[in-house]
Amino acid sequence: MTEEHYFAANPSTPFTRVPVRADVWGHWLELTTGSGVFARGRLDVGTGVLLRETAPPTQAREVLDLGCGYGVIGLAIAVAVPGARVTAVDVNERALLLARENAERLGVADRFRAVRPDEVEADLRFDEVWSNPPIRVGKDALHELLLTWLPRLRPDGRAVMVVGKNLGADSLTRWLGEQGFPTTRSASAKGFRVLESRPSRGPS
């Protein structure tokens, strides 16, 4: 039987919750993961690299966790940056449910919301976009996803993403630059690149 993709909206796999504990930026996060959701029962390697190699966005006020899964990236930001409000988006309804439960458990539900992409206000702009993007949806779908959300960065904002080197991190870096989001590699570890993109200011 083919394994069901974690980016299915409503996974058919029987739903079993699995706890996970992660130390991020000096805070222990007690989280619940689940079947049919990316990285069940663990902090995946890519997300671990992203959070270990990048400092929390202490000046950000509006943050997007793009493809949030059970919410670890956005929740880590909400815990570490008390002034930040985090919008976490995913198409997987189980992931959204777990992210909401985790926010309640961590006491940040007043500043963290997990919603479907179509539930985000059209005029909302972000200081930061953080993501371990769903590379396996395919190049076209990934490009569409990024071109939907990166234009919602404020002019002085940035996107921080982690992408496997063998999954096209370097070609994605070039492509993002061609789309008006100059991108640099800020870190590299365990076969992953941490990429930082900023909106092009265009000609002066």
Side-chain angles (χ1 to χ4, degrees):
M1 181 181 293
T2 303
E3 182 180 356
E4 187 168 38
H5 286 301
Y6 57 83
F7 44 82
N10 290 288
S12 59
T13 309
F15 191 13
T16 304
R17 287 172 169 80
V18 182
V20 68
R21 190 169 187 248
D23 180 6
V24 184
W25 299 321
H27 302 274
W28 278 105
L29 307 181
E30 302 283 351
L31 303 168
T32 300
T33 68
S35 49
V37 175
F38 179 62
R40 177 179 65 118
R42 62 191 172 91
L43 178 66
D44 67 281
V45 176
T47 297
V49 169
L50 174 65
L51 296 173
R52 188 169 53 253
E53 299 292 335
T54 313
T58 55
Q59 302 304 310
R61 292 299 171 261
E62 290 286 351
V63 178
L64 175 69
D65 179 354
L66 179 58
C68 66
Y70 60 86
V72 60
I73 295 174
L75 290 166
I77 292 172
V79 169
V81 187
R85 188 175 75 159
V86 178
T87 299
V89 298
D90 207 297
V91 297
N92 185 318
E93 294 290 348
R94 283 188 192 173
L96 295 174
L97 173 63
L98 290 168
R100 292 174 193 136
E101 291 178 357
N102 286 328
E104 290 283 354
R105 184 177 301 107
L106 293 171
V108 296
D110 58 329
R111 296 183 293 105
F112 176 99
R113 59 173 182 155
V115 295
R116 298 190 311 271
D118 61 2
E119 294 179 293
V120 180
E121 300 86 342
D123 60 349
L124 183 58
R125 296 295 178 263
F126 300 99
D127 302 303
E128 303 256 342
V129 174
W130 285 58
S131 185
N132 181 350
I135 298 296
R136 297 186 188 280
V137 298
K139 183 182 291 185
D140 291 345
L142 175 66
H143 288 178
E144 181 181 359
L145 177 72
L146 295 177
L147 289 180
T148 296
W149 294 101
L150 294 194
R152 299 181 69 164
L153 280 167
R154 290 180 172 140
D156 58 349
R158 67 167 182 168
V160 183
M161 295 176 282
V162 63
V163 181
K165 179 181 177 182
N166 66 341
L167 293 176
D170 295 339
S171 61
L172 182 63
T173 298
R174 292 190 295 271
W175 178 84
L176 286 165
E178 293 166 359
Q179 307 309 309
F181 296 94
T183 300
T184 57
R185 184 200 315 168
S186 62
S188 184
K190 298 186 177 181
F192 287 87
R193 311 282 206 215
V194 178
L195 308 180
E196 184 175 307
S197 304
R198 295 182 182 274
S200 175
R201 297 183 182 278
S204 56

